[in-house]
Amino acid sequence: MKLFVYHTPERTPTDRLPDCAVVIDVLRATTTIATALDAGAEAVQTFSNIEELMRQSESWSTDKRLRAGERGGMTVKGFELGNSPLACKPSVVKSKRLFLTTTNGTRALERVEHSPQVITAAQINRRSAVNYLLETQPETVWIVGSGWEGDYSVEDTACAGAIAQSILQQSDASLIDLFGNDEVIGAIALYEQWKDNLLNVFRQCSHGQRLLKLNGDEDLFYCSQTDIVDVLPIQKQPGVLVKY
Ligand code: MLT
């Protein structure tokens, strides 16, 4: 297995694809996707474009669908849910399909949606992503962070490092065998630096600050927890994620 880390969709190559893509948007899209599926949602279908979401969700009956998403961290007007994982309670999402649009996470998914295998990861379900990679042993793995509008996000790269570090610890391979680009080494070092206090770094980083202004401290706390959910979202058709 060769691991590559790309900090943003914009930095992700467009002339080839990996055997498996792992998309990360810790704050908050991939945390929300994992939480919704864990709470019994039928699937999460993702869109970067609001108009396309409206068009495709229109044919679903209102008792089977939920429109969810944000722009600038705030709920899209007219949608039932924003992008807070805490809203994804079983009583709200069970057996429903979430039609989800977000500023960056859904764009990252689109960038790699034609890869043979696509999974999503966040800090809360890191172990499930690691177990899947160890079990399936894809030859090339791209861990793609969502960033913010083309810029690097520390929380996504820390999660990429958490995944890479755990694979390194659990396999016989050395770092030299495993790493495909230097970003992997940087991501592991970043995670090592902050692993005992992720909440602190989430409160300081730019998107954490943005969410704090929107009263998002409970979301930050939830998103900063490691391995609290044993669910792996896997793409069954482009843009549609289900429980593995
Ligand atoms: C994104 O996709 O940019 C994020 O999930 C934004 C958010 O925190 O809602």
Side-chain angles (χ1 to χ4, degrees):
M1 190 185 332
K2 279 277 179 211
L3 298 180
F4 297 77
V5 168
Y6 297 105
H7 297 309
T8 63
E10 289 74 13
R11 288 193 187 191
T12 304
T14 50
D15 59 344
R16 56 194 184 277
L17 286 168
D19 296 307
C20 180
V22 183
V23 175
I24 297 179
D25 184 9
V26 174
L27 297 177
R28 296 166 291 176
T30 57
T31 304
T32 297
I33 292 168
T35 307
L37 292 177
D38 190 52
E42 175 261 330
V44 180
Q45 188 163 355
T46 60
F47 298 83
S48 59
N49 180 287
I50 297 178
E51 290 70 39
E52 188 56 20
L53 181 155
M54 294 303 284
R55 199 181 65 74
Q56 291 209 32
S57 58
E58 205 50 58
S59 56
W60 283 65
S61 68
T62 47
D63 60 332
K64 293 254 181 312
R65 73 158 196 234
L66 285 168
R67 289 172 175 152
E70 59 69 40
R71 284 296 177 270
M74 285 175 293
T75 304
V76 177
K77 199 161 169 245
F79 280 21
E80 287 91 7
L81 298 175
N83 186 28
S84 172
L86 298 177
C88 296
K89 307 263 183 258
S91 57
V92 177
V93 303
K94 197 164 173 22
S95 305
K96 297 200 176 170
R97 178 168 293 208
L98 249 72
F99 289 85
L100 176 70
T101 179
T102 71
T103 314
N104 304 285
T106 51
R107 275 189 317 110
L109 271 162
E110 270 184 8
R111 185 52 84 95
V112 290
E113 68 183 2
H114 296 299
S115 309
Q117 302 166 56
V118 180
I119 60 173
T120 68
Q123 203 58 39
I124 62 162
N125 71 330
R126 174 200 60 163
R127 183 174 47 216
S128 305
V130 168
N131 289 346
Y132 176 83
L133 294 172
L134 290 171
E135 182 188 306
T136 58
Q137 291 287 330
E139 250 174 60
T140 51
V141 177
W142 290 4
I143 308 179
V144 178
S146 299
W148 185 268
E149 296 181 343
D151 289 336
Y152 166 88
S153 278
V154 74
E155 67 279 9
D156 291 341
T157 300
C159 182
I163 292 170
Q165 188 229 40
S166 182
I167 290 173
L168 189 60
Q169 281 172 350
Q170 293 184 64
S171 66
D172 298 330
S174 67
L175 182 57
I176 289 179
D177 294 331
L178 267 184
F179 88 94
N181 62 3
D182 284 7
E183 283 87 335
V184 177
I185 300 173
I188 293 174
L190 182 72
Y191 178 65
E192 283 293 339
Q193 167 78 18
W194 288 100
K195 65 180 179 197
D196 297 326
N197 205 350
L198 286 173
L199 180 57
N200 196 23
V201 77
F202 286 14
R203 284 181 175 146
Q204 291 179 50
C205 68
S206 55
H207 190 45
Q209 287 284 312
R210 203 174 286 117
L211 290 174
L212 283 175
K213 287 192 187 116
L214 300 168
N215 294 324
D217 199 38
E218 278 184 57
D219 276 14
L220 293 189
F221 172 73
Y222 178 76
C223 295
S224 72
Q225 299 174 97
T226 301
D227 298 339
I228 59 163
V229 165
D230 280 323
V231 70
L232 181 72
I234 188 161
Q235 184 180 262
K236 75 165 183 182
Q237 64 193 69
V240 181
L241 295 148
V242 296
K243 209 167 164 176
Y244 176 58

